[in-house]
Amino acid sequence: MALLDGTPQTVGGPTLFGMPMKQVSLITLTFQNSALILLMHYSRMMPPSGDHRYFTSTAVFLTEVIKLAISLTFALYEVSRHLAPSTPATVIFEQIFNSVFSGDWWKVAIAATLYTIQNILQYVAVGNLDPVHFQILYQLKILTTAIFTVTMLGRSLTVKRWISLIILTIGVSIVSIPSSNSKDSSFMIHDMTDHFFPRSVHELGQVANGMGDVARELTKRGVETVVEVGQALAKRSATYEGIEEDQNTAPVMNYSIGLSAVMAVAVISGLTGVYFEKVLKDTESPASVWTRNIQLSFYSLFPALLGIVFKDGQEIAKHGLFDGYNWIVWALIILQAFGGVLASLCINYADNIAKNFATSISIVIGFLFSVWFFRVQVTLTFLIGTVLVLVSTFLYTGPDRKRGRPPPINIVNYEKTTIDPMNTPRYTDDKLSVPDPLENIKAMGLSTSRPASPLRHHNRVPSSRGKNRDE
């Protein structure tokens, strides 16, 4: 727990059951990152509970529905806090409706569509890769985010971050290379020594002249093959030979498909994150976090619904919407729906180092579970690539080293301040004296409302009343 206490906590900060919210958000984010990938991979590898595995398009749609419910609940609570207790519910819903369907809704809809495509491809990648390979290759989103940040937002990166991106690319490239003893044949080229490829026009003409003989030979072999297959099926039907192979419904992972999917997920993740940040900065009417979550969840329902119709519509009509669902699938959907809430907590109460530490711990946990539970074979090149990815992640998100010099003096205002004569020292008889602040008050105390007595040097002038005008 020493790393968790890396930054000092402020006295009287927010806590949950006596534990600081920074540690709570860090632990929950680590658990969510680890459990989500492990459950997602296991849900695609486990034997189906029905006659078909659950449809990933329906899982994505239900995840967005739960996200929408959670975000709407917190938005109602946030809006009601700033209104009178007697405010009717229609006013609260109207205020949320106006904030959700604002002028920049179409920009948020683009981001929501990209997020939905990312979630669908994430299921494809996890279904064809083991968890630790997916987590390490998924760190490529740091590189794509940096590229889109420079190109779309016009920011510049430090030399340390460019070096970390180079190390990240090298590490991901090492991890993405399949091992020599891998059973996956997606990258293997079949032996074609028995194939004939014409090298000239003359040989091509000879091949064309012999096409009739070739066709007759192929027809003869095809009939013999059909007869042999029919005999084998009859034998297996009578003796139940090979029934275990027929009942083996374990999916086959295709490494090339998984690698392509996780690369696409990393690119879409970087693009969507930078685009959504640009939308938030360019908007004129700022909205709360829960309002943005409502917008993303609501607009994600439409592309997710299109995925159900066009991707798995025919199979869903045959097997049903919830075919293959069990408690593991429902736990996966709920955990993925709460992932956005956990991410927002981590943003509010933790820094980049804490999020980086949570990601690294989740990779280590995924590595241990993959070796122990999924029987993943670990090679030396894989370990070297993993270490390079972790080091690059720390370098990129870590704080920049500052020089040991005092901070510069910032002049706030160049205008002269008004001099107060009552508080400004002055010279009196070649001596510096500080005026008494009670001097005016004492002077006010000596004054009175009674008329003043005549002064000694004042001479009374006799009145001219009673004298003649001629005088």
Side-chain angles (χ1 to χ4, degrees), residues 384-396:
I384 294 175
T386 303
V387 172
L388 290 178
V389 170
L390 293 177
V391 170
S392 64
T393 306
F394 271 102
L395 285 177
Y396 187 85

Side-chain angles (χ1 to χ4, degrees), residues 6 12-13 18 81 117 143 164 177 198 217 219 242 257 276 283 351 388 411 426-427 429 436:
R81 285 173 51 192
I117 297 174
L143 175 62
S164 64
I177 299 175
E217 183 66 22
T219 303
I257 295 178
F276 192 61
T283 183
D351 51 5
L388 290 178
I411 300 176
R426 60 176 178 266
Y427 281 95
D429 298 334
D436 187 4

Side-chain angles (χ1 to χ4, degrees), residues 442-458:
K442 293 178 180 179
M444 293 173 59
L446 296 177
S447 63
T448 177
S449 60
R450 298 175 60 184
S453 58
L455 298 178
R456 295 180 180 178
H457 62 271
H458 180 70

Side-chain angles (χ1 to χ4, degrees), residues 260-324:
S260 302
V262 73
M263 294 296 179
V265 168
V267 173
I268 295 176
S269 176
L271 174 61
T272 309
V274 176
Y275 171 77
F276 192 61
E277 181 180 356
K278 184 177 178 60
V279 170
L280 294 180
K281 289 185 176 181
D282 294 342
T283 183
E284 297 179 356
S285 57
S288 63
V289 177
W290 300 115
T291 301
R292 293 300 183 185
N293 287 334
I294 292 176
Q295 290 178 333
L296 289 175
S297 301
F298 178 77
Y299 296 129
S300 296
L301 295 178
F302 300 99
L305 189 60
L306 291 177
I308 292 178
V309 175
F310 292 100
K311 182 176 179 293
D312 300 320
Q314 296 180 355
E315 295 295 328
I316 291 176
K318 296 179 182 178
H319 303 278
L321 186 66
F322 299 102
D323 185 42

